[in-house]
Amino acid sequence: MKILKTILLAAAVVAPTTIVATQAQAQVAGVAVADPEAAVAGSKAWAAARTQIETTYKAQLDQAEARRQAIGKELQPLYQAFETARRAPGATEAALRPQATALQTRETAANQELQRLTQPAQRAQQYAIEQISAKLPEAVNAAVRAKNVTLLIRPNAALFAQPNADITAAVTTELDRLVPSVGVTPPAGWQPGQQGQQAAAGAAPAAGAAPRAAAPRASSGR
């Protein structure tokens, strides 16, 4: 189901690989790294929610995927015509502008159509992710305590880190304990971001430099 690669935050996030290491090996001098998005994406609650969303909204997702493929076929000749015109001798920006504008207008309309078709599934996945992410600060705190971490940073903030300094898997384990399952049906009046704001307001400061709760990018396919 290729359309889920578009709606589930658009790109693949590989679930963290399980790291087998002793506590002494898990960090160097109390410093460790963790990817909060990958921790959420690798949780059992998210895997179950994603499967449920695929099933519940299968008709809409199939329809969106069919439209995405049809739109791609519709746009392909327009892309080719524009590219031919762009490469033609004497082509100018002014001459190409109407064609480019028409193409951009068609792309925008196509994206809006796909957005409407996938909106129910998008809301469901955002609701599920927010429920898991709300427990992320608590999961990080538990992981850093267990690993005796005094400084925790994101992987992309480190110039270099040994693989055994990554405690993402430990954070995921804590999330599995704290959030064994989540719902995928948003209540009436729910808006994306509400749970994250409430969790941030009530959460205690994390030990070390705990990462900010954030939604994972996830993918699924047949």
Side-chain angles (χ1 to χ4, degrees), residues 204-217:
R212 176 180 57 85
R217 295 174 295 175

Side-chain angles (χ1 to χ4, degrees), residues 129-208:
I129 287 170
E130 284 196 10
Q131 292 172 79
I132 303 169
S133 295
K135 292 294 185 179
L136 187 55
E138 187 177 347
V140 169
N141 275 327
V144 298
R145 284 195 301 267
K147 300 292 185 180
N148 291 328
V149 173
T150 56
L151 176 64
L152 183 63
I153 61 176
R154 288 175 175 268
N156 59 7
L159 182 61
F160 172 78
Q162 291 284 357
N164 58 15
D166 191 331
I167 65 167
T168 300
V171 177
T172 297
T173 297
E174 295 297 334
L175 283 173
D176 290 341
R177 178 180 62 83
L178 294 167
V179 196
S181 64
V182 294
V184 297
T185 304
W190 176 86
Q191 293 298 325
Q194 288 179 342
Q195 287 177 277
Q197 293 169 1
Q198 294 169 357

Side-chain angles (χ1 to χ4, degrees), residues 64-163:
E65 175 61 18
R67 281 299 296 144
R68 185 190 67 80
Q69 293 181 10
I71 290 168
K73 292 179 181 179
E74 293 172 12
L75 290 177
Q76 188 60 34
L78 301 180
Y79 290 134
Q80 292 174 345
F82 177 78
E83 186 63 19
T84 299
R86 187 181 68 82
R87 294 186 178 186
T92 64
E93 182 178 349
L96 292 170
R97 187 174 297 117
Q99 193 173 356
T101 299
L103 184 56
Q104 184 175 13
T105 299
R106 182 66 187 90
E107 287 178 337
T108 300
N111 288 332
Q112 290 174 346
E113 180 184 358
L114 293 176
Q115 177 73 17
R116 288 192 298 271
L117 290 172
T118 60
Q119 185 177 25
Q122 288 188 55
R123 281 178 57 82
Q125 70 99 45
Q126 289 170 338
Y127 180 59
I129 287 170
E130 284 196 10
Q131 292 172 79
I132 303 169
S133 295
K135 292 294 185 179
L136 187 55
E138 187 177 347
V140 169
N141 275 327
V144 298
R145 284 195 301 267
K147 300 292 185 180
N148 291 328
V149 173
T150 56
L151 176 64
L152 183 63
I153 61 176
R154 288 175 175 268
N156 59 7
L159 182 61
F160 172 78
Q162 291 284 357

